[in-house]
Amino acid sequence: MAKLKFSEKNGGVCILCRTTGSEMLNEAEYRYFVDNSIKGWLTPKAVSADKLEYTGAQGVPLINVLKQGVDKKRYYTIVSQLLTILDTAANCGFNMKNIVLDPDFITFDTENNQLYLFYLPLWYNESCNDGVVNCLRRISTFAEYDSQEDYNSVDGFMNFVCRAEGFTISSAMEHIRREAPEVLPQRRSAAKPVKPEFSRPSAAPRTSDTRLSDFAPKEPRPQSTAQTIINGINAGSEQFRHTEGPRLAEPKIIPSLNEENRQGLPELKKKDFARPEVSYPTLTRRATGVTVNIDRPVFHIGKERDKVDFCVTENRTVSRLHATIYTRNGSCFVEDNNSTNRTYINGTPVLPNREIKLKSGDVLKLSDEEFDFIDG
């Protein structure tokens, strides 16, 4: 895993990152952050072939703020900003595991009450975080509270977050609105009441019933343009929700908006950084056209984002951990995980807990959701 160091430069935050092992700079992702100033994110700069420097804000490590003592207003300010930033990041298609969610390296500007995260634009990054729930646990555990009332409020919120059925961004935001209306004002009543339905991500804006494991609007919506997404992030819009966020060896990233201003990075063009040619089997979801590489020996598919490698959104009939694809000796085998609505290959049901070999051109169906399998 990349080595990180929190420091200061020119009166602002400077986080140094040195790559280790097989980690290499993903230049497409790097250029995206360099060319676009995005609210809530530090900007990277390549200072050498194996070192990045993050700047762009004043502040201190979040851990320091927590240990100095917080009331529930500041606590919920931090949490609501964190959830909003992660929600919009997923909507942009970032590889969520490359976001650093360590309170030692999350920056908080105490003057403006603004949270800043940073993203490691790296290939083969071993791991940067173990999920938003564990991040919230650490934030809540490290914090010193100004009063028993503040502690009780946060304790209630964490019990809500850690409940067995999980939590959703919209329900978490509503919880914060009730506990700290000065942080998140109540929404204006809509002309027609909307029944909250919580699930996990897709590719277009919608009302904030986003879940931290699956998302599903009733009708397909066109994908947002790059500029729309950038504007939404800078506005801190809660209308954005998670995207499919396919977990590829090469994450899909919105191209730079300032191609004419690109500058060469000769130190990053060395042969040492040539990306290995690897051909993986692929799975393409017919409903959205999203294609993912089956790039690991045990590949899980379902709607529980925190537990799967391909999160199927927009379909509530798919089980949380619906099916698993195993890769052995160059071949792929699918197994149904005793799902509610079953798994099919070319219309033939797959018996639970039994592996069936996949062939190139096969149609894999989870409930009524169809995928095209192509052997690499």
Side-chain angles (χ1 to χ4, degrees), residues 157-313:
F157 176 72
M158 287 309 300
N159 286 334
F160 166 78
V161 167
C162 297
R163 58 186 180 171
E165 62 269 29
F167 76 104
T168 68
I169 285 188
S170 60
S171 61
M173 291 300 191
E174 289 304 321
H175 190 109
I176 294 173
R177 282 189 179 93
R178 291 193 299 271
E179 290 292 316
E182 67 275 24
V183 173
L184 288 178
Q186 294 294 329
R187 293 178 178 175
R188 296 177 180 176
S189 56
K192 294 183 179 180
V194 179
K195 180 181 178 181
E197 295 181 1
F198 307 125
S199 50
R200 249 202 155 171
S202 186
R206 67 166 183 175
T207 55
S208 62
D209 58 347
T210 36
R211 186 183 185 84
L212 291 175
S213 46
D214 40 292
F215 303 90
K218 300 297 182 183
E219 300 177 357
R221 293 181 171 89
Q223 291 189 354
S224 303
T225 63
Q227 188 60 56
T228 301
I229 292 176
I230 295 298
N231 291 343
I233 297 174
N234 286 329
S237 173
E238 291 182 29
Q239 294 181 351
F240 283 100
R241 60 192 182 110
H242 292 309
T243 57
E244 187 100 27
R247 292 182 173 175
L248 308 175
E250 179 179 4
K252 292 185 177 180
I253 292 296
I254 301 170
S256 166
L257 301 182
N258 297 320
E259 295 292 333
E260 68 279 5
N261 295 327
R262 291 185 57 162
Q263 299 176 358
L265 287 176
E267 72 277 7
L268 301 175
K269 300 290 188 179
K270 295 180 181 179
K271 292 183 180 179
D272 295 343
F273 288 87
R275 187 184 173 211
E277 291 293 334
V278 180
S279 179
Y280 294 108
T282 62
L283 206 60
T284 300
R285 185 180 177 190
R286 288 186 173 183
T288 62
V290 171
T291 298
V292 298
N293 289 341
I294 303 173
D295 56 357
R296 56 197 68 195
V298 180
F299 190 90
H300 299 296
I301 314 171
K303 67 180 181 182
E304 179 105 21
R305 175 171 289 275
D306 295 335
K307 296 182 180 179
V308 300
D309 303 294
F310 188 178
C311 180
V312 180
T313 64

Side-chain angles (χ1 to χ4, degrees), residues 5-7 12-15 40-43 54-65 78 81-82 85 100-110 113-118:
K5 180 180 178 182
F6 199 106
S7 62
V13 167
C14 178
I15 297 178
W41 294 91
L42 299 179
T43 303
Y54 289 86
T55 57
Q58 292 183 338
V60 296
L62 177 60
I63 190 72
N64 294 3
V65 177
I78 292 168
Q81 287 188 33
L82 176 67
I85 292 172
V100 177
L101 291 180
D102 185 338
D104 284 315
F105 296 101
I106 296 175
T107 300
F108 190 71
D109 182 347
T110 53
N113 283 331
Q114 177 64 51
L115 195 74
Y116 292 89
L117 302 181
F118 67 96

Side-chain angles (χ1 to χ4, degrees), residues 26-34 44 93-95 98 119-123 250-253:
N26 181 332
E27 191 172 349
E29 293 186 335
Y30 169 77
R31 286 295 181 186
Y32 176 72
F33 280 95
V34 169
F94 296 165
N95 182 347
N98 280 11
Y119 181 92
L120 296 182
L122 300 176
W123 296 109
E250 179 179 4
K252 292 185 177 180
I253 292 296

